[in-house]
Amino acid sequence: MPDVLDPAPYDALLLLSFGGPEGPDDVVPFLENVTRGRGIPKERLKEVGQHYFLFGGVSPINAQNRALLDALREDFAAHGLDLPVYWGNRNWAPYLTDTLREMVADGRRRILVLATSAYASYSGCRQYRENLAEALATLEAEGRELPRIDKLRHYFNHPGFVEPMIEGVLESLADLPEDVREGAHLAFSTHSIPETAADTSGPAGQHGDGGAYVRQHLDVARLIAEAVRERTGVDHPWRLVYQSRSGAPHIPWLEPDICDHLEELHGRGVPAVVMAPIGFVSDHMEVLYDLDTEAKAKAEELGLPVRRSATVGADPRFAAAVRDLVTERAAAERGKKVAPCALGALGASHDVCPVGCCPARAPKPAAAGADSPYA
């Protein structure tokens, strides 16, 4: 029998994700949820939805979250961690508010949240916290007893998140033709965001010139590149690049774009590239379309051999990392001294988002932080 791990004071874990359509009829309603309040016409949403229609109107993210749920439950059971795991989405079923209603009805009163975003940014952290606050406000208006909610720290540099990505890059390099393998460059890709959002990501003391968002990605990229060098004996040049830009052309977003980067490398005579989507937990639509479709088409046009490494997904090492994060946070809440597990130069992230962390242009209440209206 496994040793019993203590999750107290927590009585449930909530997997909180973005959500995605699961059929053609879902695409426009899903995009209406994502863009609510921006006044985008339905015809424009149909144009944007073409990425989804190319894949039958189905985003893979929900299936991947189900796989992660199974992996977490299996890992917890195998290691004696008695903690039920629920799942809620920001933009599609199962909706966050509905899941919180279910959790309250089940008697859950101290909830930990795992967001499917590993890095600090408004869209990757605070917006999830705002959604939690909105859901709690709805439950409060319904007269329900509110649970206390805490969010797990950013896990970008946890070994259980980094090691599967190292392995994925090594496998992609090995899959390249032997005559171009040694000269291959590594393109570490993440979601582009407005420069102003990047500059104000993380706690206020980390703001400026890309903020915590860029620094965290650079640290992970460096960790992977160094591990690849140690295990292959080859020092592959690398760069952090961006994808999936969606903003107005006049607003500066993080660059270079992955396709522009491929063109630039080809022009310099680089023989091959491994694209490593380190900014994404799973192979959802941005990975399938922006890398596997657009970027690979650009590489084929250039005659540039490319491979795309795997995301972490439901890897057992990631499930084990979540278990570690849960027991670490639970022990800290019980007043015990803990040694957070983290690789790289930045150390473990904060447990509680401080005031001023990843601010929005139009401030809204946010749960699970120092400024939460729900203590």
Side-chain angles (χ1 to χ4, degrees):
M1 292 292 291
D3 293 332
V4 175
L5 300 178
D6 189 0
Y10 298 106
D11 54 21
L13 177 69
L14 169 61
L15 175 66
L16 178 55
S17 193
F18 193 82
E22 299 200 81
D25 292 341
D26 296 344
V27 173
V28 171
F30 162 73
L31 292 173
E32 287 175 333
N33 288 342
V34 174
T35 61
R36 181 172 288 115
R38 302 183 202 173
I40 299 176
K42 183 171 287 190
E43 291 307 310
R44 174 58 181 153
L45 294 179
K46 289 179 181 178
E47 293 175 20
V48 174
Q50 291 306 311
H51 296 180
Y52 292 95
F53 292 128
L54 286 174
F55 296 89
V58 178
S59 168
I61 193 169
N62 280 353
Q64 290 161 5
N65 281 325
R66 293 185 184 102
L68 180 55
L69 278 173
D70 290 342
L72 291 172
R73 288 165 177 161
E74 181 179 342
D75 179 273
F76 287 8
H79 292 86
L81 180 60
D82 184 14
L83 192 71
V85 187
Y86 294 75
W87 169 36
N89 289 325
R90 289 172 47 192
N91 298 300
W92 202 248
Y95 289 103
L96 168 60
T97 302
D98 294 335
T99 300
L100 281 181
R101 282 197 194 97
E102 177 189 358
M103 296 178 81
V104 169
D106 289 347
R108 310 305 176 193
R109 294 296 179 266
R110 287 295 304 271
I111 298 170
L112 264 178
V113 173
L114 169 69
T116 54
S117 177
Y119 301 85
S121 72
Y122 171 74
S123 56
C125 183
R126 185 175 178 89
Q127 194 168 16
Y128 282 92
R129 294 176 49 226
E130 290 177 355
N131 295 144
L132 285 166
E134 290 169 3
L136 288 171
T138 299
L139 267 58
E140 186 175 40
E142 295 170 354
R144 301 176 190 270
E145 184 178 353
L146 298 186
R148 175 174 165 179
I149 295 179
D150 294 326
K151 180 177 174 293
L152 287 170
R153 65 177 172 90
H154 302 301
Y155 47 84
F156 63 93
N157 56 1
H158 194 287
F161 186 69
V162 176
E163 182 59 37
M165 294 191 290
I166 294 170
E167 187 175 284
V169 171
L170 290 169
E171 290 176 353
S172 293
L173 283 167
D175 191 49
L176 283 168
E178 190 173 355
D179 60 332
V180 299
R181 188 180 304 150
E182 187 167 330
H185 283 223
L186 310 179
F188 295 108
S189 185
T190 190
H191 208 301
S192 184
I193 61 176
E195 289 182 0
T196 53
D199 292 345
T200 56
S201 58
Q206 299 175 20
H207 291 179
D209 196 20
Y213 185 75
V214 171
R215 282 194 287 276
Q216 290 171 0
H217 281 88
L218 285 173
D219 204 41
V220 171
R222 191 174 297 111
L223 281 167
I224 297 172
E226 289 174 354
V228 169
R229 184 186 68 247
E230 290 170 1
R231 299 181 197 186
T232 65
V234 179
D235 191 5
H236 292 276
W238 62 271
R239 186 169 184 182
L240 179 64
V241 299
Y242 302 92
Q243 61 176 89
S244 313
R245 176 186 170 132
S246 59
H250 68 281
I251 298 175
W253 283 50
L254 294 173
E255 295 179 337
D257 176 77
I258 177 63
C259 290
D260 294 339
H261 184 59
L262 293 177
E263 283 197 22
E264 192 256 333
L265 291 181
H266 175 68
R268 287 165 42 196
V270 170
V273 178
V274 169
M275 302 183 295
I278 64 171
F280 305 91
V281 171
S282 63
D283 287 5
H284 53 64
M285 188 56 67
E286 273 103 344
V287 176
L288 288 188
Y289 184 79
D290 297 319
L291 293 184
D292 290 354
T293 305
E294 272 196 335
K296 284 188 176 180
K298 172 56 70 175
E300 185 174 348
E301 172 192 319
L302 297 168
L304 178 65
V306 298
R307 297 293 185 271
R308 195 270 289 175
S309 66
T311 52
V312 172
D315 190 289
R317 289 165 292 188
F318 182 45
V322 174
R323 168 172 38 90
D324 180 61
L325 291 166
V326 167
T327 54
E328 167 199 302
R329 181 64 183 275
E333 287 293 308
R334 296 195 304 270
K336 291 191 174 183
K337 288 187 177 181
V338 296
C341 192
L343 301 175
L346 300 181
S349 184
H350 49 263
D351 275 338
V352 179
C353 292
V355 176
C357 195
C358 304
R361 283 177 292 179
K364 295 181 180 178
D371 55 355
S372 172
Y374 302 100

